[in-house]
């Protein structure tokens, strides 16, 4: 599917970062993704298109984990698509719909490479992609949707007038009209498909079965299309899995595909390559205690509590918490003041300067490689063995997790009655859902259940949690300060 671009087309320093891909059809907003795209893309475009699509698919998974209704799932998904993966109809004015479809198809095929590697990943990918297709199908322009359907072969057979009349008494049971049943029957079209292709309609007894075929009324036609999409995607993933050894030879792609798969396995919107540093307004060392009590996610509250209790944190605790505070807005001078004060009773001034000052300056890019390090996101904390995500690390000790939650958030409205729902999500390894639910409970005055940080968005980064919490407090004090918090 992918092959290196010819060296002669590009400057030497750019050719190694270009992939050659083939262009597929962009006639319609809807797609069965039956033709891979073929055009030149950079490695960066290869990665970012997949990341943006993964955010949508992961939010669909989050909706399922949170038992959102179909209407809620649909609304959340459409909102997230508007941010990361817009896909407009041909009638849209002033919009490059071809570029939108180009990105949509590229992201889909990149994720195929990442998620074809195991049965579990394939199953989750198919389910999320089918949900996304269904939402787009329901919201598509009716004329364009009809043109799309006419352009594809879904292996259905239109039931002719004679056959329809032959089974009239049986088929009338599947007409929804409450009056003028005969008239409604005459105007209703029926299609025949192999009954095994639409198990959902068979299970719900919404079709007439005869001779191995299911007679499907036109109003249920969408189920045939969804089943065809799912069936074709499943077959395509099996084919792709056999081609993976060829892709593995490209050392540029392996790290990207591995990270994409890990992001999906963790069950979170994969946002670890997006602009990781969104430094907020400046804060001082003296403000940290108050901010921790009101605005920090559990992972950072646990670290803050340990620091205040023991006047010390181990290396990774200092690293994760220090980077979090830096991105929150703690300047280098205030950071040194904060850590010096926090270690009071521990190392003396000379020892602090010798053992810790350099590392603090290093994290700000002022020493060593002079690299301004970003704060760790949720996916990175999930995989950390030390000072990581407490929802994951305390999964096997629900009693300790419940104690940590109550001690951290009871002052903000979290009660013992809220814990079963949170622990249930942790047991399902939906750690980001548990954290998002805590945010909703502790910000109930501003956020409704299911709304997440806003518009259904889930927590993907400790700084994202803290920044949104601070924003909500400001909006409560002064509604005129309401801002767009999109990442």
């Amino acid at each position: 599917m992918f092959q290196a671009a010819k060296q002669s087309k590009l400057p030497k320093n750019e050719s190694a970062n270009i992939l050659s891909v083939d262009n597929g059809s962009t006639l319609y907003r809807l797609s069965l993704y039956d033709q891979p795209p073929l055009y030149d893309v950079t490695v960066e475009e290869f990665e970012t298109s997949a990341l943006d699509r993964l955010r949508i698919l992961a939010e669909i998974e989050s909706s399922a984990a949170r038992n959102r209704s179909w209407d809620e799932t649909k609304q959340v998904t459409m909102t997230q698509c508007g941010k990361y993966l817009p896909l407009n109809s041909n009638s849209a004015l002033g919009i490059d719909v071809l570029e939108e479809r180009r990105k949509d198809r590229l992201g889909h095929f990149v994720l195929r490479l990442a998620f074809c590697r195991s049965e579990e990943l394939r199953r989750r990918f198919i389910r999320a992609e089918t949900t996304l297709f269904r939402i787009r199908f329901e919201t598509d322009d009716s004329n364009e949707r009809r043109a799309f359907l006419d352009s594809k072969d879904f292996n259905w057979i239109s039931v002719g007038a004679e056959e329809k009349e032959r089974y009239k008494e049986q088929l009338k049971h599947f007409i929804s009209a409450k009056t003028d049943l005969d008239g409604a029957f005459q105007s209703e079209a029926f299609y025949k498909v192999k009954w095994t292709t639409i198990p959902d309609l068979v299970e719900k007894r919404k079709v007439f079965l005869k001779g191995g075929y299911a007679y499907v009324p036109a109003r249920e036609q969408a189920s045939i299309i969804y089943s065809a999409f799912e069936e074709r995607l499943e077959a395509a993933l099996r084919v792709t899995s056999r081609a993976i050894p060829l892709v593995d030879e490209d050392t540029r792609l392996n790290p990207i595909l591995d990270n994409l798969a890990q992001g999906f396995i963790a069950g979170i919107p994969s946002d670890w390559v997006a602009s990781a540093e969104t430094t907020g307004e400046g804060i001082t060392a003296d403000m940290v205690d108050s901010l921790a009590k009101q605005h920090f996610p559990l992972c950072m509250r646990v670290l803050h509590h340990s620091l205040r209790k023991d006047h010390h944190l181990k290396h990774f605790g200092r690293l994760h918490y220090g980077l979090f505070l830096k991105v929150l807005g703690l300047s280098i001078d205030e950071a040194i003041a904060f850590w010096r004060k926090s270690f009071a009773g521990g190392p003396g001034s000379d020892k602090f300067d010798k053992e810790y000052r350099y590392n603090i300056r290093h994290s700000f890019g002022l020493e060593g490689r002079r690299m301004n390090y970003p704060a760790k996101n949720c996916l990175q904390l999930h995989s950390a063995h030390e000072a990581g995500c407490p929802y994951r690390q305390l999964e096997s000790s629900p009693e300790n997790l419940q104690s940590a939650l109550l001690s951290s958030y009871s002052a903000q409205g979290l009660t013992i009655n809220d814990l079963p729902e949170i622990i249930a999500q942790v047991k399902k390894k939906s750690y980001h859902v548990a954290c998002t639910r805590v945010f909703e409970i502790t910000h109930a005055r501003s956020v409704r259940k299911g709304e997440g940080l806003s518009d259904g968005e889930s927590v993907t980064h400790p700084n994202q949690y803290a920044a949104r919490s601070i924003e909500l407090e400001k909006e409560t004090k002064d509604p005129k300060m309401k801002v767009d918090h999109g990442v």
Side-chain angles (χ1 to χ4, degrees):
M1 176 176 164
F2 300 96
Q3 45 182 261
K6 294 181 179 179
Q7 296 277 343
S8 60
K9 290 184 178 181
L10 298 162
K12 184 176 181 181
N13 64 335
E14 293 184 14
S15 60
N17 291 322
I18 297 291
L19 301 170
S20 181
V21 202
D22 216 358
N23 188 18
S25 171
T26 54
L27 289 176
Y28 307 104
R29 177 175 176 264
L30 295 173
S31 176
L32 296 180
Y33 304 102
D34 41 12
Q35 293 294 327
L38 278 185
Y39 42 76
D40 288 343
V41 298
T42 64
V43 172
E44 181 182 5
E45 186 180 2
F46 178 94
E47 183 174 24
T48 55
S49 65
L51 283 171
D52 285 342
R53 190 179 193 89
L54 183 57
R55 290 189 179 97
I56 309 303
L57 300 186
E59 199 59 64
I60 288 173
E61 278 213 330
S62 175
S63 292
R66 299 168 76 172
N67 297 315
R68 284 179 175 144
S69 68
W70 173 248
D71 287 340
E72 290 172 332
T73 298
K74 188 175 176 179
Q75 183 57 52
V76 167
T77 303
M78 290 172 63
T79 299
Q80 295 302 306
C81 282
K83 292 180 181 179
Y84 303 113
L85 198 65
L87 196 64
N88 287 278
S89 63
N90 291 331
S91 57
L93 300 176
I95 294 175
D96 189 347
V97 296
L98 293 181
E99 179 59 29
E100 289 182 347
R101 293 168 192 181
R102 180 180 186 271
K103 177 181 178 180
D104 176 72
R105 284 154 177 73
L106 177 60
H108 172 87
F109 277 92
V110 174
L111 292 186
R112 277 194 191 183
L113 292 174
F115 301 142
C116 69
R117 301 180 176 202
S118 74
E119 184 64 33
E120 170 67 10
L121 283 176
R122 288 195 293 269
R123 180 182 60 81
R124 292 172 63 177
F125 181 64
I126 291 170
R127 185 171 57 212
E129 279 282 349
T130 303
T131 300
L132 178 59
F133 178 84
R134 179 183 170 187
I135 291 170
R136 287 174 169 175
F137 186 87
E138 291 185 2
T139 58
D140 199 24
D141 178 88
S142 58
N143 292 328
E144 291 185 27
R145 180 171 58 206
R146 173 51 55 191
F148 166 76
L149 295 179
D150 290 342
S151 71
K152 301 296 181 182
D153 181 8
F154 289 97
N155 297 317
W156 60 46
I157 303 171
S158 294
V159 178
E162 182 181 343
E163 187 176 10
K164 182 178 174 183
E165 188 64 28
R166 187 189 316 153
Y167 300 116
K168 178 178 180 179
E169 292 305 316
Q170 293 90 340
L171 296 177
K172 283 171 64 174
H173 293 292
F174 303 101
I175 302 298
S176 59
K178 296 182 179 179
T179 60
D180 191 17
L181 187 58
D182 287 335
F185 175 76
Q186 294 302 324
S187 62
E188 182 79 51
F190 284 85
Y191 301 89
K192 281 197 310 186
V193 294
K194 291 290 186 180
W195 72 269
T196 53
T197 62
I198 49 169
D200 57 329
L201 295 183
V202 174
E203 181 183 5
K204 296 174 183 177
R205 301 185 178 185
K206 291 187 174 183
V207 293
F208 168 58
L209 301 179
K210 183 70 175 180
Y213 284 94
Y215 288 70
V216 183
R219 59 188 172 83
E220 300 290 354
Q221 186 184 34
S223 291
I224 304 175
I225 300 163
Y226 303 151
S227 295
F229 179 89
E230 187 173 331
E231 182 180 317
R232 296 182 190 193
L233 180 55
E234 183 177 6
L237 285 171
R238 288 197 296 267
V239 172
T240 306
S241 68
R242 293 196 289 270
I244 279 297
L246 298 177
V247 178
D248 286 343
E249 295 176 3
D250 194 324
T251 57
R252 297 168 298 172
L253 303 187
N254 275 331
I256 296 173
L257 297 177
D258 288 343
N259 282 339
L260 290 169
Q262 286 300 316
F264 211 38
I265 289 172
I268 64 172
S270 196
D271 145 79
W272 22 266
V273 174
S275 76
E277 185 146 1
T278 51
T279 305
E281 297 177 7
I283 62 173
T284 66
D286 292 336
M287 294 168 61
V288 175
D289 282 337
S290 175
L291 290 171
K293 292 178 182 178
Q294 295 295 321
H295 303 298
F296 286 8
L298 185 61
C299 53
M300 297 302 145
R301 291 194 188 211
V302 168
L303 291 175
H304 184 81
H305 176 75
S306 296
L307 180 61
R308 286 292 178 252
K309 177 184 175 184
D310 303 327
H311 301 288
H312 186 263
L313 284 176
K314 293 182 179 179
H315 170 72
F316 285 105
R318 296 196 304 273
L319 175 65
H320 296 169
Y321 193 41
L323 292 175
F324 168 81
L325 291 175
K326 180 188 77 168
V327 174
L328 195 64
L330 197 67
S331 69
I332 178 61
D333 292 335
E334 290 295 329
I336 291 174
F338 170 78
W339 287 104
R340 187 187 299 278
K341 180 179 179 181
S342 298
F343 284 172
S349 179
D350 291 342
K351 186 175 181 179
F352 176 88
D353 288 341
K354 181 178 179 180
E355 295 187 8
Y356 301 108
R357 185 186 182 95
Y358 176 88
N359 287 336
I360 296 170
R361 288 177 53 81
H362 189 276
S363 68
F364 277 79
L366 301 176
E367 301 287 356
R369 296 171 59 192
R370 299 189 180 276
M371 178 178 174
N372 197 7
Y373 294 92
K376 303 298 181 181
N377 60 37
C378 291
L379 179 61
Q380 293 165 323
L381 293 177
H382 284 175
S383 59
H385 297 294
E386 179 186 320
C389 172
Y391 295 101
R392 182 180 185 277
Q393 295 181 334
L394 295 178
E395 179 184 353
S396 59
S397 304
E399 297 83 5
N400 291 338
L401 178 56
Q402 292 181 64
S403 297
L405 286 166
L406 288 174
S407 62
S408 297
Y409 294 106
S410 58
Q412 290 180 269
L414 185 77
T415 70
I416 194 169
N417 295 328
D418 298 312
L419 297 179
E421 179 185 3
I422 297 169
I423 299 301
Q425 296 298 340
V426 171
K427 289 181 178 178
K428 291 191 292 186
K429 302 188 184 303
S430 297
Y431 312 118
H432 69 301
V433 176
C435 187
T436 303
R437 185 68 190 117
V438 170
F439 183 93
E440 291 172 343
I441 293 169
T442 56
H443 297 80
R445 288 190 303 171
S446 305
V447 177
R448 297 188 304 273
K449 182 176 182 179
E451 194 173 28
L453 301 183
S454 180
D455 298 327
E457 189 173 15
S458 299
V459 175
T460 63
H461 198 297
N463 285 94
Q464 176 195 28
Y465 183 114
R468 182 56 178 156
S469 179
I470 293 170
E471 285 177 7
L472 288 175
E473 182 182 56
K474 291 178 179 179
E475 291 170 12
T476 300
K477 293 179 179 179
D478 184 359
K480 295 180 181 179
M481 296 184 67
K482 189 170 184 178
V483 297
D484 180 8
H485 74 287
V487 285

